[in-house]
Amino acid sequence: MRVHLRAGDELRSGGHVANVIADSFARHFKFLKNMNNARALFPVVLHYDRRLRGLFIRESHTFRMDTFQSDIWHECLSDLHTSRVDTLNSKLADLESFLTRARSSAPSKRNDSSAGTSSQHQRTRCLSCGGTDHRIASCRATPKFLRRDGRLWKTPEGSSICFAFNSFSLCPRRTDCKYAHICSLCGASAHGAQSCTA
């Protein structure tokens, strides 16, 4: 653009160079607007547009806004995926921290054995059969309530259950959770699997 600024009257509104630049930007925006999934990919489209504007400012005498730059597009897609992975990792760390706090604040039960009284932590129950010697991933018993759908566990109606609700009787998402807050052992909504008597 700096080269064109020295062109004198050609940059005036309606000047030849100004019209070429305006037409180039108009074609660029029309292309972005008509892309498949432009709304769904809006963060990528916006990032791509910013990158092209920066290149245009630095290299206006050689760079064309109206030419699709596939290498830049793929870099923008990669940046978005990296950003989403970072966001998911951050949310996962938050959830792990929440679950650690929930475990440490959960009351422990005392078991009396015939040999005397000993303090033992309650063992986590399998969300499929209620056993305490394994977890749902390695469960081989017949499920009490859930049904296996490939690698997923679902209710008889086909809904996915909330594992946090069933593992700790609380979910960090509460009412915003997209998974069913029902017991994985009996289907009741009043308790999770760890409190179930079924």
Side-chain angles (χ1 to χ4, degrees):
M1 192 175 274
R2 293 183 199 92
V3 172
H4 295 306
L5 288 174
R6 296 192 192 103
D9 291 339
E10 289 185 358
L11 281 177
R12 285 180 314 167
S13 177
H16 172 69
V17 174
N19 285 335
V20 169
I21 293 171
D23 289 344
S24 176
F25 270 82
R27 285 190 298 274
H28 165 71
F29 289 124
K30 184 177 181 181
F31 172 78
L32 294 180
K33 182 180 173 187
N34 293 328
M35 285 180 72
N36 289 337
N37 298 325
R39 286 181 179 247
L41 294 173
F42 183 73
V44 180
V45 172
L46 185 60
H47 188 38
Y48 174 78
D49 178 53
R50 287 179 183 153
R51 292 275 306 272
L52 262 57
R53 286 171 182 251
L55 284 169
F56 178 80
I57 289 171
R58 287 191 302 275
E59 305 170 21
S60 62
H61 57 286
T62 58
F63 188 78
R64 293 189 49 116
M65 285 294 291
D66 56 351
T67 303
F68 181 67
Q69 308 290 329
S70 63
D71 53 336
I72 295 174
W73 176 256
H74 290 294
E75 287 174 15
C76 293
L77 274 174
S78 177
D79 290 348
L80 177 71
H81 292 306
T82 301
S83 170
R84 286 183 175 169
V85 167
D86 291 345
T87 300
L88 288 174
N89 283 336
S90 172
K91 288 184 178 183
L92 181 60
D94 291 345
L95 180 60
E96 286 173 347
S97 173
F98 172 81
L99 294 177
T100 300
R101 287 192 310 272
R103 284 184 193 125
S104 66
S105 67
S108 62
K109 291 191 174 179
R110 298 178 73 89
N111 288 340
D112 292 331
S113 66
S114 58
T117 305
S118 65
S119 176
Q120 297 177 349
H121 289 290
Q122 180 183 7
R123 298 192 67 171
T124 303
R125 298 177 72 189
C126 169
L127 303 186
S128 174
C129 72
T132 58
D133 60 341
H134 63 276
R135 303 221 177 216
I136 191 169
S138 59
C139 184
R140 300 291 177 244
T142 302
K144 290 188 173 201
F145 177 71
L146 297 178
R147 302 293 174 256
R148 189 182 284 265
D149 182 10
R151 294 180 61 196
L152 302 174
W153 291 93
K154 303 226 173 180
T155 65
E157 295 81 28
S159 301
S160 295
I161 57 133
C162 177
F163 281 87
F165 177 79
N166 278 282
S167 297
F168 310 103
S169 297
L170 49 96
C171 171
R173 293 183 205 92
R174 295 183 178 89
T175 57
D176 294 334
C177 186
K178 65 180 181 177
Y179 302 106
H181 282 193
I182 60 172
C183 176
S184 64
L185 299 175
C186 71
S189 60
H191 61 265
Q194 305 309 312
S195 306
C196 186
T197 58

